[in-house]
Amino acid sequence: MPDTVTRPLGAQISHMLKARGVDVVFGIPGVHNQEMYRGIEEAGITHVLARHEQGAGFMADGYARASGRPGVAYVITGPGLCNVMTPMGQAYSDSVPVLVISSCLDETAAQRGQLHQMKDQEIAASTVTDWSHTARSTQAAYALVDRALHEFATARPRSKHIQVTIAQLQALAPPASAPMAGAGQTGALKADLSGLIDQIKAAQKPLFIFGGGAAHASAAARSVVAALSAASFVSYAGRGIIAPDEPLFFGASLARPDSAGIIGKADLVIAVGTELAEVDLWRAHLGHTAPMIRVDIDPEVLSDRQRAEIPVHLDAALFLAALADGLADHTASTGWDASEVAKARAHWRSEVDAERPGIVPVCDALRAALPDDTMIYSDMTQLAYVAKEVWDMEQPRHWHHPYGFGTLGYATPAAIGGAIARQGKPTLAIIGDYGFHYTVQELGVAVELGLSLPIILWDNGKLGEIEDSMVRAQIAPNAVIARNPDFCKLAEAFGANAVQPQTIEEFQKAVRAAFDADAPTLIHATPALTA
């Protein structure tokens, strides 16, 4: 039976979200958004109470990355919206479907001194989201929710913000209409790609670069590179798209300076679902001298400074599926040498080990200790920086990192959101000592929910990466050391488990045990770990 009950709009929004597949909302209630909480339980939505709006936003992000569904957060006017702006910026940067719904004051221009007042919070939120709009009527609120969910499904998914005036949240409203029919597949295939496929077939040394936008097309990507005997790189966000044992796979090494020379040897470069951004390359130009085919769902990417000769505005999965079909009877010979690929990868691994000594063995040990299908959330910490380059993933979308915006404090709350979405599947957080301070309070949420979540705290006692950067720049390394608490006692005060392994073997044992615990486990690891 259709829902015909009249309720306050705040309650109706929860019912609308539930009807459109939203099962979990992260947030914090306040006097300005309490009407949004009126309908949560009645609608059958699980609410996760964060300890800070930043935590709520990161949990929504982690939930979205793990589930493939939108992550939704409810926050209050003013400070609540400001606190969630960092997670919104991270979700925007990393193409994560996060929807933040906040309350807002009914009037700001003609009245001053109100609780939680901002001059213009819609504009403030718009600086870190795809869009931010105000709903001043019931139909506007419903239309904006549907627009956000539709765009998540059909365009590049990026954070969005809807704010609803307090008076409107309180006003009685009819229920939203039934959900729209299926959104369909992103970027429908309309163009004839036969000429493009022939050009790819004719290449003697084709080179593919896969980014996070191709993560949902891993099977087709693997089929294509095998059929063409093509070499390939992945961006950090694209790790797992290509199998680690693929002999012509250069790994996630685009940021190695001499990768430009290797890319320059290709006679055709095909970049699929990747921004080729600063955080992918750390140089202005990819290094190619051959023509580039650039495939992306975002037209802005197709017109960037890499200036692809052949831009293709298309979803990666559709492009790769069409290409795989076109290669069904293709027999390729390759100009790439597998031994040279292996040599380059070994060289880059040794470079990474030399740049941040002692961390590669820790990554290797951690990888060996993890159960199959573990999903990892990492923070801005040296352990993660090393792992991104030397740790090949077996499958995509299983390592999540705050790549573009680069915020500290992401991993713990994001992993909580991921663990909620994964319902018992192994989930792990990696965070540095300084970043842990940013969102340590969310450990209480993990305890409250009884999550079997290992949190690896990599403690080098300083902002180690910043210290190294300052030294390279011949700047005295000021303000890089802060007094840390006893992290194990702090975790135990929240009700979590805590352990401080002294050896690699103890470290591995602690990680394995944490997945079977009935509460989160803080694993305090330092560079002093010995074999």
Side-chain angles (χ1 to χ4, degrees):
M1 293 288 293
D3 183 0
T4 59
V5 178
T6 298
R7 306 178 181 91
L9 177 60
Q12 296 287 28
I13 289 172
S14 292
H15 282 267
M16 178 187 189
L17 290 171
K18 177 64 176 180
R20 284 148 175 77
V22 175
D23 296 317
V24 181
V25 167
F26 303 88
I28 301 176
V31 293
H32 279 183
N33 72 342
Q34 64 187 14
E35 285 296 339
M36 292 159 60
Y37 282 76
R38 184 186 294 275
I40 287 179
E41 291 186 4
E42 185 184 51
I45 289 176
T46 297
H47 181 268
V48 177
L49 177 62
R51 302 303 190 259
H52 188 282
E53 287 89 359
Q54 185 176 85
F58 286 145
M59 288 178 201
D61 175 297
Y63 179 91
R65 296 194 200 210
S67 67
R69 300 190 299 273
V72 179
Y74 285 177
V75 301
I76 61 162
T77 318
L81 188 279
C82 286
N83 286 339
V84 83
M85 283 178 64
T86 295
M88 287 196 297
Q90 191 63 64
Y92 177 87
S93 176
D94 289 351
S95 303
V96 183
V98 169
L99 174 61
V100 173
I101 303 178
S102 76
S103 53
C104 67
L105 296 172
D106 303 314
E107 173 58 54
T108 57
Q111 188 173 352
R112 289 287 182 262
Q114 301 175 84
L115 178 66
H116 302 330
Q117 185 163 12
M118 289 177 65
K119 293 173 70 174
D120 196 325
Q121 67 178 37
E122 178 184 306
I123 288 179
S126 71
T127 64
V128 288
T129 59
D130 188 21
W131 49 256
S132 170
H133 292 304
T134 304
R136 301 188 185 279
S137 69
T138 294
Q139 291 309 312
Y142 294 160
L144 287 171
V145 169
D146 271 337
R147 175 185 168 187
L149 298 179
H150 180 74
E151 289 178 5
F152 286 151
T154 60
R156 182 177 183 177
R158 285 179 142 167
S159 57
K160 305 175 195 300
H161 168 241
I162 299 169
Q163 60 180 18
V164 187
T165 62
I166 297 168
Q168 199 62 50
L169 288 171
Q170 296 169 342
L172 292 176
S177 59
M180 295 186 296
Q185 198 164 16
T186 305
L189 183 59
K190 298 176 182 178
D192 179 7
L193 299 181
S194 58
L196 200 61
I197 293 172
D198 288 341
Q199 182 178 357
I200 294 171
K201 285 180 178 180
Q204 298 299 304
K205 296 186 73 173
L207 173 70
F208 282 82
I209 300 172
F210 298 104
H216 60 310
S218 175
R222 294 182 182 193
S223 173
V224 163
V225 296
L228 288 166
S229 295
S232 60
F233 283 86
V234 294
S235 70
Y236 297 137
R239 289 158 64 213
I241 292 175
I242 300 300
D245 59 356
E246 165 59 46
L248 298 178
F249 177 45
F250 283 102
S253 302
L254 290 169
R256 292 287 112 192
D258 52 348
S259 70
I262 289 173
I263 294 167
K265 296 177 181 178
D267 62 353
L268 181 66
V269 174
I270 307 100
V272 185
T274 173
E275 283 186 309
L276 299 176
E278 177 185 74
V279 294
D280 295 319
L281 306 178
W282 294 109
R283 58 179 181 267
H285 191 262
L286 179 61
H288 61 292
T289 56
M292 176 191 283
I293 298 170
R294 191 81 180 271
V295 182
D296 209 280
I297 193 174
D298 185 350
E300 183 179 346
V301 168
L302 298 176
S303 59
D304 70 3
R305 60 184 175 180
Q306 302 300 334
R307 288 291 184 268
E309 284 78 7
I310 307 173
V312 181
H313 185 205
L314 193 63
D315 177 71
L318 290 172
F319 171 79
L320 291 170
L323 181 54
D325 287 345
L327 297 172
D329 299 320
H330 181 64
T331 302
S333 59
T334 183
W336 296 104
D337 184 343
S339 66
E340 290 299 314
V341 175
K343 182 179 178 181
R345 297 210 61 184
H347 172 66
W348 291 331
R349 179 182 171 91
S350 67
E351 281 188 343
V352 173
D353 194 26
E355 290 165 0
R356 300 183 178 97
I359 298 180
V360 168
V362 177
C363 291
D364 292 342
L366 177 57
R367 184 179 184 184
L370 297 185
D372 293 339
D373 199 37
T374 298
M375 183 170 286
I376 300 169
Y377 290 83
S378 61
D379 213 89
M380 304 298 284
T381 180
Q382 288 185 327
L383 179 57
Y385 302 153
V386 170
K388 287 191 302 177
E389 294 201 67
V390 303
W391 186 324
D392 289 326
M393 299 298 293
E394 298 290 338
Q395 55 187 322
R397 292 179 168 174
H398 273 63
W399 190 301
H400 305 295
H401 185 81
Y403 295 106
F405 210 42
T407 179
L408 286 162
Y410 169 81
T412 302
I416 291 170
I420 292 169
R422 306 194 80 219
Q423 300 182 3
K425 293 181 180 179
T427 306
L428 172 82
I430 298 173
I431 193 164
D433 56 303
Y434 205 85
F436 188 65
H437 284 278
Y438 277 52
T439 51
V440 60
Q441 66 276 3
E442 305 307 338
L443 191 57
V445 179
V447 171
E448 201 168 76
L449 298 176
L451 299 179
S452 302
L453 177 67
I455 301 172
I456 296 174
L457 176 60
W458 183 251
D459 183 4
N460 58 12
K462 60 179 72 174
L463 287 163
E465 191 71 10
I466 306 307
E467 181 183 62
D468 292 347
S469 178
M470 293 174 84
V471 169
R472 287 194 299 270
Q474 298 184 337
I475 299 170
N478 301 313
V480 295
I481 297 176
R483 180 186 175 91
N484 280 332
D486 184 322
F487 286 114
C488 290
K489 288 182 179 178
L490 179 60
E492 289 168 352
F494 276 100
N497 302 315
V499 62
Q500 189 170 7
Q502 301 300 310
T503 68
I504 290 289
E505 184 178 15
E506 289 178 1
F507 175 65
Q508 291 178 307
K509 183 178 179 180
V511 170
R512 294 187 185 104
F515 286 110
D516 296 323
D518 58 1
T521 302
L522 184 75
I523 302 170
H524 183 215
T526 74
L529 281 176
T530 57

